[in-house]
């Protein structure tokens, strides 16, 4: 479960990115975060995994009081959240296998579990035949599937994605969404910021619209609601 209570974020340069956000996201929900550019969607997402700290307010994620966590506790939080980015953020010199295994190594998972688990998640994203490839040898869609495998490998209860289809063509975007659906069906909570109108209006989920730092709309099986 994710809970934000009266959350505010003002950046050091004075920009008020979030202005009093209250929201509860239950376990196994699938939530789209939509809204105009600059509305505060990325900030909203970054606060959840402590990439940024709120100026004021309370954030509880999977039982952790996120805004109060000490630096040394943050790895524990990150283990319970998988994060997927628009630009994949893979390590360019590591193979597909090594990119995914690395996420387990940094949290000191037992060595004997690593191989099986890495192969299991690569199977889920249908990349078992690319284990030895480097990111530069993959298509955008394949790179995004590696980043999803990496996000999932520690079995997180929550997956957060910031514009995961932003660099992909429509067909590849749907491949990625089918994987997200599968992950969500297995019980993982998904929070996904997106500008993809077609996906939001077709694969109906809860829609949270952020506008000028506030939640302007929150609907079950909602619509995208913007023209772009
Ligand atoms: P969105 O994801 O909806 O486009 P963001 O959360 O990225 O919105 O940005 C919200 C507002 O905060 C914008 O005005 C943006 O310019 C500003 N902003 C985002 N990150 C920073 C930062 N690190 N420092 C200062 N201002 C920022």
């Amino acid at each position: 479960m994710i809970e934000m209570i009266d959350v505010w974020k003002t950046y050091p340069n004075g920009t008020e990115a979030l202005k009093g956000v209250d929201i509860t996201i239950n376990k196994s929900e699938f939530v789209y975060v939509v809204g105009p550019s600059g509305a505060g969607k990325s900030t909203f997402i970054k606060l959840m995994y402590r990439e940024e700290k709120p100026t004021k307010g309370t954030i509880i994620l999977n039982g952790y009081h996120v805004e109060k966590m000490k630096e040394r506790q943050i790895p524990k939080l990150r283990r319970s959240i998988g994060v997927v980015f628009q630009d994949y953020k893979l390590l360019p010199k590591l193979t597909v296998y090594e990119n995914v295994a690395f996420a387990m190594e940094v949290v000191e998972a037992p060595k004997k579990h690593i191989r099986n688990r890495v192969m299991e998640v690569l199977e889920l994203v249908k990349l078992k035949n690319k284990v030895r490839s480097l990111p530069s040898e993959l298509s955008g869609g394949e790179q995004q599937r590696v980043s999803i495998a990496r996000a999932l490998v520690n079995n997180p209860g929550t997956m957060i994605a910031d514009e995961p289809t932003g660099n992909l063509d429509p067909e590849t975007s749907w491949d990625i969404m089918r994987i997200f659906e599968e992950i969500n069906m297995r019980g993982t909570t998904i929070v996904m910021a997106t500008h993809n109108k077609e996906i939001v209006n077709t694969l109906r989920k809860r829609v949270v619209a952020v506008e000028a730092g506030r939640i302007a709309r929150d609907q079950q099986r909602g619509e995208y609601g913007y023209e772009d």
Side-chain angles (χ1 to χ4, degrees), residues 11 13 15 17 36-43 52:
Y11 283 106
N13 67 359
T15 305
S37 275
K41 302 181 295 298
S42 291
T43 303
E52 292 286 351

Side-chain angles (χ1 to χ4, degrees), residues 50 64 68-79:
R50 251 297 282 272
Y64 297 107
K68 288 188 188 151
M69 292 185 99
K70 305 255 182 294
E71 288 299 319
R72 65 182 155 78
Q73 298 171 304
I74 292 173
K76 222 179 349 178
L77 170 77
R78 300 263 167 90
R79 230 172 294 166

Side-chain angles (χ1 to χ4, degrees), residues 54-105:
T55 312
K56 187 180 150 213
T58 302
I59 303 170
I60 303 169
L61 193 141
N62 303 335
Y64 297 107
H65 248 284
V66 178
E67 83 285 359
K68 288 188 188 151
M69 292 185 99
K70 305 255 182 294
E71 288 299 319
R72 65 182 155 78
Q73 298 171 304
I74 292 173
K76 222 179 349 178
L77 170 77
R78 300 263 167 90
R79 230 172 294 166
S80 78
I81 315 175
V83 187
V84 173
F85 304 94
Q86 177 172 1
D87 58 357
Y88 329 127
K89 298 199 192 299
L90 300 174
L91 296 167
K93 290 183 178 153
L94 300 188
T95 65
V96 166
Y97 179 89
E98 289 163 347
N99 261 282
V100 179
F102 185 66
M104 288 186 84
E105 287 157 10

Side-chain angles (χ1 to χ4, degrees), residues 210-226:
V210 178
E211 292 176 17
R214 294 196 170 88
I215 293 184
R217 175 161 60 96
D218 184 351
Q219 293 173 303
Q220 296 297 334
R221 296 183 61 76
E223 283 185 33
Y224 185 71
Y226 302 97

Side-chain angles (χ1 to χ4, degrees), residues 47-160:
L47 291 174
M48 290 182 189
Y49 63 97
R50 251 297 282 272
E51 177 71 19
E52 292 286 351
K53 258 176 124 168
T55 312
K56 187 180 150 213
T58 302
I59 303 170
I60 303 169
L61 193 141
N62 303 335
Y64 297 107
H65 248 284
V66 178
E67 83 285 359
K68 288 188 188 151
M69 292 185 99
K70 305 255 182 294
E71 288 299 319
R72 65 182 155 78
Q73 298 171 304
I74 292 173
K76 222 179 349 178
L77 170 77
R78 300 263 167 90
R79 230 172 294 166
S80 78
I81 315 175
V83 187
V84 173
F85 304 94
Q86 177 172 1
D87 58 357
Y88 329 127
K89 298 199 192 299
L90 300 174
L91 296 167
K93 290 183 178 153
L94 300 188
T95 65
V96 166
Y97 179 89
E98 289 163 347
N99 261 282
V100 179
F102 185 66
M104 288 186 84
E105 287 157 10
V106 293
V107 301
E108 293 172 8
K111 274 215 166 57
K112 59 177 186 197
H113 293 164
I114 293 182
R115 190 172 171 82
N116 281 349
R117 179 62 185 157
V118 171
M119 293 314 285
E120 199 174 273
V121 285
L122 287 174
E123 164 118 60
L124 175 72
V125 300
K126 303 197 168 62
L127 276 180
K128 264 175 100 170
N129 57 336
K130 299 274 181 184
V131 283
R132 288 189 193 83
S133 301
L134 291 169
S136 59
E137 297 166 334
L138 302 176
S139 69
E142 287 167 341
Q143 290 184 62
Q144 191 57 296
R145 276 147 57 199
V146 178
S147 99
I148 293 169
R150 178 183 58 186
L152 282 179
V153 77
N154 291 316
N155 229 329
T158 305
M159 201 163 98
I160 290 174

